[in-house]
Amino acid sequence: MTPRKKTYTIDVTRKNAEIVIDPASIPDGQVGISYGPVYLEASGGVAPYSWGHDIPPGLSLNAGAPARDGRQVFGSVTAGYENRQDGWLISPYGRLEASRSTLDGFTESGGSIYRLNYGDQKIDTLSGVLGLRLEYAMTMDWGVLKPRARLEYTHDFNGSSRISLGYTDIGTMPYGIDIDPLSSDYLTIGFGFDAHVGDSWNLAFDYRTVYGSGENGRDHTFAVKVGAPF
């Protein structure tokens, strides 16, 4: 009977730890004049965020953003060439990625007269990828070691979206906001190795980081795979 193989995978992703709040400060108030509303937005770090530190007396925070349902359709087409010679693998490739995301409309919670209605939102993206994959197989006393590296350049041709909104009490959505993509160019760098130990054990490690032209930080992803027959 042919033994089966079981593989264990561990993925660790490190996001940008810095949290940025926009605006960094709120306007001064005046006695006898109604204050607000003031909208705050947080980015970076790891969501969900916890608000409520050092709020001026007499003010309160209203998250006002309930859960929002959505759907996504995604597809990609890849073409590449593999050149294997003397233990080397050199593979240039290109990829075209497209997606359509649909977010359902929603209404902010709370009893404020400034609550907003948001309409359905569609986000279309189209990205082109050019990449190069390198691998080299080395025969060792204990098995085979394959160091590898990958370099990818991604350009977003289209990633903007528009959302309609309006105040809940007027019942219509006469306003619109154009939402631009966070970054239109990305550079992905990765390296790792496969280790085939004897006829049974397989060990793999991968590291990947992404540079974005419109981001303050980088994502770091680590993956470890261990496989063995049982």
Side-chain angles (χ1 to χ4, degrees):
M1 183 178 66
T2 303
R4 293 179 295 173
K5 181 179 293 185
K6 192 169 185 179
T7 302
Y8 300 90
T9 304
I10 301 174
D11 294 307
V12 180
T13 301
R14 181 185 180 274
K15 297 286 187 179
N16 180 24
E18 181 183 1
I19 297 178
V20 179
I21 299 177
D22 183 30
S25 61
I26 60 177
D28 295 332
Q30 299 182 23
V31 177
I33 299 178
S34 178
Y35 187 85
V38 176
Y39 297 97
L40 302 174
E41 181 180 359
S43 61
V46 179
Y49 304 109
S50 178
W51 297 80
H53 180 65
D54 292 338
I55 301 175
L59 297 183
S60 61
L61 289 174
N62 178 11
R68 193 179 190 186
D69 296 328
R71 296 158 298 281
Q72 185 181 64
V73 178
F74 175 85
S76 66
V77 177
T78 302
Y81 171 75
E82 290 189 352
N83 180 24
R84 298 179 182 270
Q85 186 175 4
D86 298 330
W88 281 96
L89 167 64
I90 302 176
S91 177
Y93 59 90
R95 185 169 67 250
L96 192 66
E97 302 173 343
S99 70
R100 162 160 284 197
S101 303
T102 302
L103 298 175
D104 296 338
F106 71 99
T107 300
E108 292 182 340
S109 59
S112 172
I113 63 173
Y114 299 104
R115 286 185 304 144
L116 294 174
N117 283 335
Y118 292 84
D120 294 343
Q121 182 181 2
K122 288 183 173 59
I123 305 172
D124 295 320
T125 65
L126 179 63
S127 302
V129 180
L130 293 176
L132 178 65
R133 184 165 61 98
L134 302 174
E135 183 180 283
Y136 181 66
M138 298 185 295
T139 302
M140 314 295 288
D141 293 338
W142 43 263
V144 178
L145 177 64
K146 293 182 178 180
R148 59 173 177 265
R150 182 188 298 267
L151 180 67
E152 280 188 358
Y153 168 74
T154 303
H155 176 73
D156 289 338
F157 297 101
N158 181 19
S160 61
S161 177
R162 182 175 178 83
I163 184 171
S164 299
L165 70 159
Y167 291 106
T168 304
D169 59 345
I170 64 175
T172 61
M173 291 182 286
Y175 310 110
I177 298 177
D178 292 315
I179 302 175
D180 295 326
L182 182 62
S183 181
S184 59
D185 295 279
Y186 305 88
L187 183 64
T188 303
I189 300 174
F191 61 84
F193 66 83
D194 283 317
H196 302 278
V197 183
D199 297 326
S200 56
W201 286 90
N202 292 327
L203 175 64
F205 170 80
D206 282 291
Y207 166 75
R208 185 175 69 250
T209 183
V210 180
Y211 296 82
S213 62
E215 299 179 358
N216 294 325
R218 303 199 311 267
D219 292 346
H220 303 273
T221 301
F222 302 85
V224 178
K225 298 180 182 180
V226 179
F230 66 99

